[in-house]
């Protein structure tokens, strides 16, 4: 057979080379396209720790960037060249230590926590702004923080409860009109509350909940609700019927079976939609302003918006610090629970 | 066709060792089965040969040339997966033609070859259908055709029959063997079903825990198993294994003693004998029937005896004993096997007497 | 016995499905009806409707009187329509579909930890609060030398600073929304690619297919439905979204899409002028387009698995 006369050696060399080149190209491409996404975030963090009153210190950013980017590229080269996990870890450790040292030597002196003093000083914004502009009283940032937390937590609780209950019912119960209900839900998925801002404002106005934290909380509960119900239905669909049947044979009622046997199996889904729901509630801006909640209650989004509006020309550093403070809870939550987010399956799409 | 060698091949994923120091050769045109329980590393071995996984250590050679780093596409192997892995968006014809896309084969020539192969596996009438419209047996034939069309050096079959029903399995067994003989392609079949392995393969590699336990013909695996694992895995119903120790040149199990020579004093050994070597007879030891399993041609009994639990066979149709019945059993031990309990290896040159 | 069963059926429906129905009816279905009604009134700042009229639609379709023969698209509604089309088309084709596909394909080709890291980076814009994200963009495109983009242009490429807000406003909102929009498609496509049986990839590699052939023959056929779903759904989401546009560009005429127009004419903080009926009329047009897309979406959904009947009949 011709196979015997093949040059296996060169085939192997060529494929190994091709694999390396391909992997290198892929990573290179992803690094290049990801830099524009990541750089602004990195920038705002750097500003918040380095800017002094009156301007943006961009030198710090570029120094820090050049050190970190070169460290990442050196590690990439080491990773490709070195197979042993232990040596890779050692290389990573050395690089981290070196770049920490480099950062300390080059920009260490420029770093300070002055921009974060709004966290401890209740009247800071007022003092800074001085007589520059007129307008409503700026509260202490923690008041906005607690209001935002309340809005995000309450709406998430509502949304998750509603979605879980109805997801289970739609997955497991036979009732008249079930298929029309599901099809109707599918259509409602299309009507994003943003589209309906004006009529929702009117409805909330007629109910009498303008100027109130309850308005945004209710709207946030409905935001993406059909989508969340389908996600939960998908999770419930994946729980084997046998388990529920055996629970009921063992004497449980449907509601007991739901609580004791089925619910523990959909925790992943509940965590996933809770994270998504919380992050949405934490960032809410449109309905907080549209439903006039902002007139009486400060939340983080309006706080940052007006800080940026009023203080911008004067103190970039503090605006950056407020931004970092505002996005930290979202990002921490996301980083810790992102494993659950990638498990979401998007039910209903044709396979 | 190719001569395949594995030399000290090992595959590790982190701490888990899937394949552990496997060394063996396959001759040109040979049909070899890898037999073992699930998780024994048999499918991993197959994927190592296909190039889907790369070995952590050791060398794989085709016709004497090291091919460890060669990509699957360059190895010219055909593989039939347990799930068949047919491309769902392509017709049967397109599925079969797929491997030829990547070789410089003329369109007409490719179609002619596909027709030939389709005729060989008897699916000419299905060429325009899609995999979703085929039965399991038909999908299996398509997968076989796709694996064979490139005239592979090596044909790999990963549990190809396990998703078929019993009757279809029987006919596909003969069918695959016929096609393999006709083409003379070196073939490896991975299976956990000993009947499949013994009926189809020239030689059987018995694997457990990533290691090769024994490479032999079906006959020898049954008569001369090298280890307790092979002894108990090959053969249905399974062998009777009696655990005991050696004291004063006697094998002691329970309150029974067996005079023998060739075993070292105080060794912990197991004695194995097939169920057909246990016979109900008046002069035997007392035992009590605890299980009855009708198996068609024969009935398999289980009984508690002074030696422990013993299996034995009786001709069907009517059960001669009932549950709980006291019987007397005699063991014929001339071809009994002895194994070291420490390493599980067979101990040869043991000669023995009757139980006392 | 039967009545007890029937009663339990009713309470079950109330407990499990009641809350969802209440929320959806009051805050999603009812507003659609309200919008339908208000669009045909003269409701303004006072939130009182005095008469039924098609005046709002006449206002919408009326061409600018100063334009000769009414050919020039200078009426704010026609301009908004055109801007919406440009915005949705470019964001969708470049980012929400193409880039989502590229990200899903490239990150799944890498080892999991590395691909996951890149996916996490691309999810960052979606996970950070909208006001922060918008602020970042304002700083990035700042026309002075302090803007991040200009710093890069000047220091890295040695170019002149640019003023994108003045010269390329549409590009800003396309990219800003695109960075966010790519992530949803990326997640859906990644999970679809992951769900392709591993054996298909193995079989293709053994059959001699290279990476590109595997993408063409194995991956893309599996992505057909998800891609159409993403296209339809994201087109709709982009059409109605105004949050980032408003936060980055403010009520600038250069980026006034339909959703922006409705928002600024009614509820936008400080500038909204409370022309509710006019906004409702624009919203009604969005609702009509949305319903059309919903029907399209309908065909992309696997009704059979969605509507599979439950297996337990006890209540």
């Amino acid at each position: 057979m011709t196979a015997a006369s093949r040059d296996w050696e060169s085939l192997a060399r060529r494929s190994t080379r091709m694999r390396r080149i391909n992997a290198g190209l892929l990573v290179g491409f992803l690094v290049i396209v990801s830099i524009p996404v990541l750089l602004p975030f990195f920038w705002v963090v750097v500003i918040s720790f380095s800017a002094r009153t009156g301007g943006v210190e961009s030198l710090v950013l570029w120094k820090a960037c050049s050190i970190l980017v070169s460290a990442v590229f050196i590690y990439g080269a080491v990773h490709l060249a070195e197979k042993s996990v232990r040596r890779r870890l050692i290389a990573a450790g050395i690089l981290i230590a070196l770049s920490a040292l480099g950062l300390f030597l080059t920009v260490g002196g420029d770093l300070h926590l002055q921009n974060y003093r709004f966290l401890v000083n209740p009247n800071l914004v007022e003092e800074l702004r001085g007589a520059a502009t007129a307008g409503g009283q700026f509260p202490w940032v923690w008041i906005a923080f607690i209001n935002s937390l309340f809005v995000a937590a309450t709406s998430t609780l509502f949304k998750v409860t509603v979605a879980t209950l109805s997801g289970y019912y739609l997955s497991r119960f036979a009732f008249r009109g079930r298929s029309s209900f599901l099809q109707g839900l599918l259509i409602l998925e299309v009507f994003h509350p943003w589209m309906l801002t004006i009529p929702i404002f009117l409805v909330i106005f007629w109910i009498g909940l303008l100027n109130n934290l309850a308005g945004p909380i209710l709207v946030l509960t409905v935001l993406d609700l059909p989508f969340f119900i389908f996600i939960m239905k998908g999770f419930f669909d994946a729980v084997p019927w046998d388990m529920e049947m055996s629970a009921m044979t063992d004497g449980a009622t449907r509601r007991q079976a739901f609580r004791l046997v089925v619910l523990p199996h959909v925790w992943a889904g509940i965590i996933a939609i809770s994270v998504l729901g919380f992050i949405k509630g934490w960032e809410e801006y449109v309905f907080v302003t549209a439903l006039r909640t902002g007139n009486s209650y400060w939340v983080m989004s309006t706080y940052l918006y007006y800080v940026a509006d009023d203080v911008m020309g004067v103190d970039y550093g503090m605006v950056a610090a407020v931004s970092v403070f505002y996005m930290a809870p979202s990002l921490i939550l996301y980083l810790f629970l992102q494993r659950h987010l990638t498990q979401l399956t998007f039910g209903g799409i044709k396979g | 066709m190719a001569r395949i060698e594995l030399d000290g091949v090992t595959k590790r994923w982190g701490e888990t060792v899937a394949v552990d120091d496997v060394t063996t050769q396959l001759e040109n045109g040979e049909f070899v089965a890898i037999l073992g329980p699930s998780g024994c590393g048999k499918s991993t071995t197959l994927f190592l040969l296909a190039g889907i996984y790369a070995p952590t250590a050791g060398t794989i050679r085709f016709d004497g040339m090291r091919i460890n780093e060669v990509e699957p596409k360059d190895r010219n192997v055909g593989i039939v997966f347990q799930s068949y892995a047919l491309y769902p968006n392509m017709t049967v014809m397109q599925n079969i033609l797929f491997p030829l896309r990547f070789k410089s084969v003329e369109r007409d020539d490719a179609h002619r070859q596909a027709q030939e192969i389709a005729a060989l596996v008897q699916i000419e009438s299905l060429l325009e259908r899609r995999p979703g419209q085929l039965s399991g047996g038909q999908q299996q034939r398509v997968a076989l055709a796709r694996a064979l069309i490139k005239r592979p050096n090596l044909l790999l079959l990963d549990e190809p029959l396990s998703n078929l029903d019993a009757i279809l399995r029987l006919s596909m067994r003969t069918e695959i063997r016929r096609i393999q003989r006709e083409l003379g392609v070196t073939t490896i079949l991975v299976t956990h079903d000993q009947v499949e392995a013994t009926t189809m393969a020239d030689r059987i590699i018995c694997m457990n825990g990533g290691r090769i336990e024994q490479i032999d013909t079906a006959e020898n695996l049954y008569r001369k198993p090298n280890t307790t694992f092979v002894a108990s895995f090959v053969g249905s119903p399974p062998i009777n294994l009696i655990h005991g120790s050696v004291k004063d040149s006697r094998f002691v199990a329970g309150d029974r003693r067996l005079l023998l020579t060739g075993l070292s004093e105080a060794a912990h050994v197991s004695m194995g004998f097939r169920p057909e070597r246990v016979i109900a007879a008046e002069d035997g030891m007392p035992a009590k029937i605890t299980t009855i399993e009708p198996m068609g041609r024969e009935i398999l009994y289980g009984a508690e005896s002074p030696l422990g639990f013993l299996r034995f066979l009786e001709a069907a149709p009517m059960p001669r004993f009932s549950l709980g019945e006291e019987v007397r059993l005699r063991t014929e031990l001339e071809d009994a096997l002895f194994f070291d309990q420490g390493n599980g290896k067979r101990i040869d040159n043991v000669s023995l007497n009757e139980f006392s | 016995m039967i009545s007890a069963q029937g009663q339990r059926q009713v309470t079950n429906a109330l407990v499990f499905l009641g809350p969802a129905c209440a929320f959806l009816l009051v805050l999603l279905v009812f507003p659609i009806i309200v919008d339908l009604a208000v669009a045909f009134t003269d409701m303004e700042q006072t939130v009182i409707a005095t008469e039924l009229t098609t005046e709002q639609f006449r206002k919408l379709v009326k061409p600018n009187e100063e334009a000769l023969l009414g050919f020039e698209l200078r009426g704010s509604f026609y301009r908004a329509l055109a801007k919406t089309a440009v915005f949705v088309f470019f964001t969708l084709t470049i980012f929400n579909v193409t880039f989502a596909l590229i990200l899903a394909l490239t990150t799944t080709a890498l080892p999991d930890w590395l691909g996951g890291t890149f996916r996490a980076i691309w999810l960052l814009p979606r996970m950070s609060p909208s006001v922060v994200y918008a602020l970042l963009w304002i700083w990035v495109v700042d026309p002075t030398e302090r803007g991040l983009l200009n710093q890069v242009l000047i220091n890295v490429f040695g170019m002149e600073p640019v003023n994108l807000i003045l010269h390329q406003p549409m590009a800003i909102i396309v990219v800003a929304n695109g960075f966010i929009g790519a992530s949803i498609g990326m997640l859906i496509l990644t999970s679809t690619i992951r769900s392709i049986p591993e054996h298909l990839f193995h079989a293709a590699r053994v059959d001699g297919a290279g990476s590109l052939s595997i993408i063409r023959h194995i991956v893309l056929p599996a992505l057909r439905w998800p891609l159409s779903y993403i296209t339809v759904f994201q087109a709709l989401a982009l059409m109605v979204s105004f949050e980032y546009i408003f936060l980055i560009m403010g009520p600038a005429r250069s980026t006034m899409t339909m959703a922006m127009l409705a928002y600024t004419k009614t509820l936008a903080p400080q500038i909204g002028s409370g022309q509710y009926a006019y906004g409702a009329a624009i919203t009604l047009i969005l609702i009509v387009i949305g319903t059309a897309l919903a029907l399209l979406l309908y065909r992309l959904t696997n009704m059979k698995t969605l509507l599979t009947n439950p297996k337990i009949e006890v209540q």
Side-chain angles (χ1 to χ4, degrees):
Chain A
M1 194 67 194
T2 50
S5 59
R6 279 185 189 207
D7 191 354
W8 294 109
E9 285 277 327
S10 73
L11 275 178
R13 267 201 309 276
R14 206 194 55 187
S15 60
T16 313
R17 201 172 54 232
M18 285 304 288
R19 235 186 350 251
R20 291 237 172 111
I21 292 176
N22 280 340
L25 284 178
L26 270 188
V27 174
F29 167 79
L30 282 170
V31 167
I32 288 171
V33 297
S34 300
I35 282 178
V37 180
L38 202 53
L39 192 60
F41 288 95
F42 187 57
W43 192 43
V44 74
V45 174
V46 170
I47 292 177
S48 80
F49 285 110
S50 66
R52 315 227 170 234
T53 313
V56 183
E57 179 61 86
S58 53
L59 213 54
V60 177
L61 173 75
W62 298 118
K63 282 181 194 162
C65 264
S66 53
I67 288 172
L68 290 179
V69 169
S70 46
V72 167
F73 274 109
I74 292 171
Y75 178 75
V78 171
H79 191 93
L80 283 181
E82 188 57 66
K83 284 265 172 289
S84 132
V85 177
R86 215 167 63 89
R87 289 201 201 136
R88 281 177 182 176
L89 282 179
I90 293 174
I94 293 175
L95 277 171
I96 289 173
L98 277 181
S99 35
L101 184 69
L103 283 176
F104 179 75
L105 290 178
T106 49
V107 303
D110 294 321
L111 298 185
H112 61 90
L113 287 173
Q114 274 302 300
N115 293 324
Y116 285 89
R117 60 195 190 282
F118 67 90
L119 289 175
V120 290
N121 186 343
N123 291 318
L124 185 66
V125 179
E126 294 288 324
E127 281 169 22
L128 273 179
R129 206 175 45 153
T133 42
Q137 292 287 111
F138 264 97
W140 197 15
V141 70
W142 291 102
I143 290 171
F145 184 91
I146 285 170
N147 282 341
S148 269
L149 200 64
F150 179 72
V151 169
T154 325
S155 62
T156 305
L157 184 70
F158 283 173
K159 179 142 75 180
V160 170
T161 313
V162 170
T164 307
L165 288 176
S166 51
Y168 176 69
Y169 196 76
L170 291 171
S171 165
R172 294 300 219 230
F173 279 81
F175 60 95
R176 213 157 1 123
R178 177 169 176 272
S179 59
S180 354
F181 190 91
L182 283 168
Q183 289 170 14
L185 207 57
L186 206 63
I187 291 188
L188 280 186
E189 218 178 322
V190 172
F191 296 101
H192 195 282
W194 283 349
M195 185 196 252
L196 302 171
T197 317
I198 298 160
I200 286 177
F201 164 79
L202 294 173
V203 171
I204 296 287
F205 166 69
W206 288 325
I207 300 176
L209 287 177
L210 287 189
N211 230 325
N212 194 318
L213 283 179
I217 289 173
L218 292 180
V219 177
L220 280 165
T221 307
V222 178
L223 186 77
D224 292 333
L225 185 61
F227 182 62
F228 279 35
I229 292 176
F230 278 122
I231 288 183
M232 283 319 292
K233 177 180 180 289
F235 272 92
F236 283 117
D237 285 344
V239 178
W241 276 100
D242 301 357
M243 275 192 348
E244 215 169 338
M245 289 182 181
S246 93
M248 291 175 58
T249 333
D250 291 343
T253 64
R254 287 277 323 237
R255 275 184 230 172
Q256 283 168 327
F258 166 68
R259 204 158 37 88
L260 301 171
V261 179
V262 181
L263 210 51
H265 279 261
V266 296
W267 271 120
I270 291 180
I271 292 175
I273 64 172
S274 306
V275 174
L276 290 179
F278 186 89
I279 288 175
K280 268 276 172 251
W282 182 253
E283 74 162 356
E284 184 54 37
Y285 172 77
V286 167
F287 284 98
V288 170
T289 52
L291 302 181
R292 306 297 179 232
T293 313
N295 293 358
S296 317
Y297 297 90
W298 285 91
V299 292
M300 286 305 293
S301 57
T302 49
Y303 184 86
L304 174 61
Y305 185 84
Y306 288 109
V307 166
D309 224 23
D310 281 0
V311 187
M312 191 79 137
V314 193
D315 197 339
Y316 269 96
M318 202 183 87
V319 179
V322 174
S323 302
V324 171
F325 175 68
Y326 180 20
M327 69 182 166
S330 292
L331 296 189
I332 289 168
L333 200 63
Y334 162 63
L335 284 181
F336 274 99
L337 297 171
Q338 60 150 323
R339 195 164 46 89
H340 295 276
L341 295 187
T342 47
Q343 285 178 356
L344 286 185
T345 47
F346 296 85
I349 307 172
K350 269 182 186 165
Chain B
M1 320 304 128
R3 193 169 165 280
I4 314 294
E5 287 168 76
L6 290 100
D7 189 358
V9 172
T10 300
K11 178 69 188 174
R12 262 186 237 109
W13 275 286
E15 293 294 299
T16 1
V17 185
V19 172
D20 191 4
D21 194 19
V22 163
T23 303
T24 184
Q25 297 98 41
L26 275 78
E27 294 308 320
N28 214 336
E30 202 178 11
F31 194 130
V32 172
I34 305 181
L35 175 67
S38 49
C40 74
K42 52 190 195 302
S43 290
T44 310
T45 311
L46 207 68
F47 289 165
L48 285 167
L49 284 166
I52 292 165
Y53 301 150
T56 318
T59 314
I60 302 173
R61 294 191 197 89
F62 283 13
D63 287 325
M65 306 290 282
R66 179 189 147 98
I67 49 102
N68 278 25
E69 285 84 20
V70 177
E71 292 272 316
K73 66 186 170 70
D74 299 326
R75 291 194 185 193
N76 198 31
V77 297
I79 182 162
V80 175
F81 291 90
Q82 184 171 9
S83 62
Y84 316 132
L86 298 179
Y87 310 122
N89 52 305
M90 302 180 196
T91 63
V92 168
M93 188 61 168
Q94 288 167 332
N95 261 285
I96 299 176
L97 283 173
F98 191 72
L100 296 187
R101 259 176 203 274
F102 310 103
K103 303 188 165 197
S104 41
V105 181
E106 295 263 327
R107 209 185 117 81
D108 293 342
D109 195 27
H111 274 259
R112 193 183 44 73
Q113 287 186 33
Q115 292 287 354
E116 273 176 31
I117 284 287
L120 183 73
V121 302
Q122 301 170 347
I123 49 166
E124 304 103 307
S125 57
L126 308 173
L127 292 176
E128 291 315 310
R129 300 220 199 146
R130 281 178 199 275
Q133 303 164 312
L134 301 180
S135 71
Q138 291 168 333
Q139 291 191 28
Q140 151 113 88
R141 285 165 191 267
V142 177
L144 200 57
R146 189 181 64 185
L148 290 173
I149 194 161
K150 55 182 144 178
R151 315 265 157 205
N153 292 328
L154 174 62
L155 176 63
L156 302 170
L157 308 170
D158 185 13
E159 309 244 8
L161 305 177
S162 62
N163 289 343
L164 303 180
D165 63 49
I167 298 173
L168 202 53
R169 204 180 298 182
L170 209 66
S171 66
M172 279 311 290
R173 250 167 29 201
T174 340
E175 190 74 6
I176 291 176
R177 192 68 232 241
R178 170 183 72 80
I179 293 164
Q180 191 267 340
R181 287 232 174 82
E182 218 162 289
L183 300 177
V185 54
T186 315
T187 302
I188 299 180
L189 166 81
V190 155
T191 179
H192 62 267
D193 180 344
Q194 49 175 306
V195 183
E196 238 167 78
T198 51
T199 51
M200 292 168 80
D202 302 320
R203 279 193 305 155
I204 297 170
I205 300 174
C206 195
M207 281 185 81
N208 183 36
R211 294 180 153 272
I212 293 186
E213 295 271 335
Q214 189 167 358
I215 307 176
D216 228 320
T217 58
E219 164 89 8
N220 279 342
L221 285 181
Y222 190 76
R223 295 206 175 284
K224 292 250 157 238
N226 281 351
T227 62
T228 30
F229 171 78
V230 178
S232 47
F233 192 75
V234 178
S236 170
I239 198 164
N240 289 310
L241 270 181
I242 308 294
H243 304 298
S245 55
V246 180
K247 204 182 267 176
D248 304 330
S249 292
R250 283 177 175 80
F251 174 71
V252 184
D255 59 354
R256 300 280 152 161
R257 286 173 162 62
L258 176 65
L259 196 62
L260 42 62
T261 54
L263 285 177
S264 51
E265 198 64 16
H268 289 274
V269 292
S270 304
M271 180 175 70
F273 47 92
R274 299 284 166 188
E276 52 266 35
R277 293 297 174 203
V278 181
I279 298 161
E282 283 308 310
D283 56 348
M285 58 192 159
K288 188 173 158 195
I289 303 285
T290 54
T291 63
I292 303 177
E293 292 172 36
M295 310 211 316
R297 203 157 44 82
E298 289 164 319
I299 295 169
L300 175 67
Y301 293 99
E304 278 311 326
S305 78
L307 287 175
F309 183 74
L310 290 183
R311 293 182 197 84
F312 68 101
L313 291 163
E314 289 262 320
M318 290 304 290
R320 195 146 68 96
F321 308 116
S322 54
L323 272 181
E325 192 174 330
E326 299 283 346
V327 292
R328 290 192 160 271
L329 297 175
R330 200 180 67 210
T331 49
E332 293 178 343
L333 297 176
E334 50 271 27
D335 51 6
L337 301 157
F338 288 88
F339 301 96
D340 184 327
Q341 277 186 26
N343 58 16
K345 292 257 166 62
R346 192 182 71 229
I347 307 166
D348 284 327
N349 303 323
V350 180
S351 56
L352 45 83
N353 233 310
E354 273 295 301
F355 269 105
S356 56
Chain C
M1 196 62 202
I2 289 170
S3 75
Q5 165 109 27
Q7 202 176 356
R8 197 157 348 123
Q9 204 167 341
V10 172
T11 45
N12 270 339
L14 278 179
V15 168
F16 284 106
L17 217 47
C21 287
F23 273 108
L24 291 173
L25 282 177
V26 173
L27 288 169
L28 224 48
V29 178
F30 185 53
I32 296 175
I33 300 165
V34 167
D35 190 84
L36 199 62
V38 171
F40 293 97
T41 66
D42 60 347
M43 184 185 287
E44 291 217 353
Q45 212 127 28
T46 50
V47 202
I48 295 167
T50 55
E51 57 169 341
L52 283 179
T53 167
T54 52
E55 173 59 27
Q56 310 305 338
F57 293 93
R58 209 161 321 130
K59 252 203 276 181
L60 279 180
V61 296
K62 190 176 62 179
N64 194 322
E65 280 146 10
E66 292 160 27
L68 277 175
L69 302 166
F71 277 152
E72 247 176 304
L73 294 184
R74 299 196 50 186
S76 55
F77 175 71
Y78 289 113
R79 207 178 48 222
L81 204 61
K83 298 240 182 249
T84 310
V86 170
F87 168 64
V88 172
F89 177 79
F90 283 106
T91 318
L92 189 69
T93 49
I94 299 174
F95 288 100
N96 293 35
V97 174
T98 312
F99 224 79
L101 180 64
I102 291 174
L103 285 173
L105 289 175
T106 49
T107 56
T108 47
L110 292 175
D112 220 27
W113 65 271
L114 193 57
T117 307
F118 284 115
R119 279 195 297 274
I121 291 177
W122 275 84
L123 271 164
L124 208 58
R126 181 175 290 277
M127 296 305 159
S128 47
S130 48
V131 179
V132 175
Y133 182 71
L135 193 67
L136 290 184
W137 270 96
I138 293 173
W139 287 2
V140 166
V141 299
D142 190 309
T144 68
E145 282 160 25
R146 289 209 297 241
L148 185 59
L149 181 68
N150 282 336
Q151 285 188 38
V152 172
L153 288 179
I154 294 166
N155 298 328
V156 181
F157 297 103
M159 291 158 68
E160 290 294 301
V162 293
N163 185 346
L164 286 183
I165 294 178
L166 197 63
H167 301 299
Q168 290 294 336
M170 196 50 95
I172 295 176
I173 62 165
V174 166
V175 179
N177 277 282
F179 277 6
I180 288 174
S183 59
I184 272 288
M186 175 186 80
L187 281 188
I188 294 180
L189 296 175
T190 301
S191 86
T192 319
I193 293 175
R194 289 259 178 76
S195 69
I196 299 173
E198 208 184 14
H199 281 170
L200 281 186
F201 292 108
H202 291 167
R205 283 177 64 199
V206 170
D207 284 344
S211 316
L212 288 181
S213 309
I214 289 180
I215 289 176
R216 198 180 131 207
H217 296 290
I218 311 292
V219 180
L220 286 185
L223 296 184
R224 229 180 92 215
W225 288 112
L227 272 176
S228 351
Y229 179 87
I230 292 167
T231 309
V232 175
F233 211 96
Q234 296 286 302
L236 192 83
L238 287 170
M239 190 180 77
V240 304
S241 82
F242 55 83
E243 187 176 19
Y244 295 108
I245 304 178
F246 178 76
L247 286 171
I248 295 173
M249 301 297 297
R253 286 160 63 100
S254 52
T255 51
M256 188 67 72
T257 61
M258 282 203 287
M260 270 292 287
L261 188 63
Y263 182 60
T264 47
K265 291 280 181 204
T266 52
L267 292 164
Q270 289 155 1
I271 52 167
S273 50
Q275 299 176 43
Y276 298 120
Y278 184 68
I282 299 174
T283 301
L284 190 59
I285 292 167
L286 292 178
I287 289 175
V288 170
I289 300 176
T291 315
L293 286 178
L295 294 176
L296 199 60
L297 205 61
Y298 223 64
R299 302 193 38 191
L300 300 177
T301 307
N302 195 346
M303 281 295 168
K304 218 168 74 194
T305 45
L306 192 67
L307 302 179
T308 320
N309 274 324
K311 288 183 186 162
I312 298 182
E313 294 181 343
V314 185
Q315 282 298 318

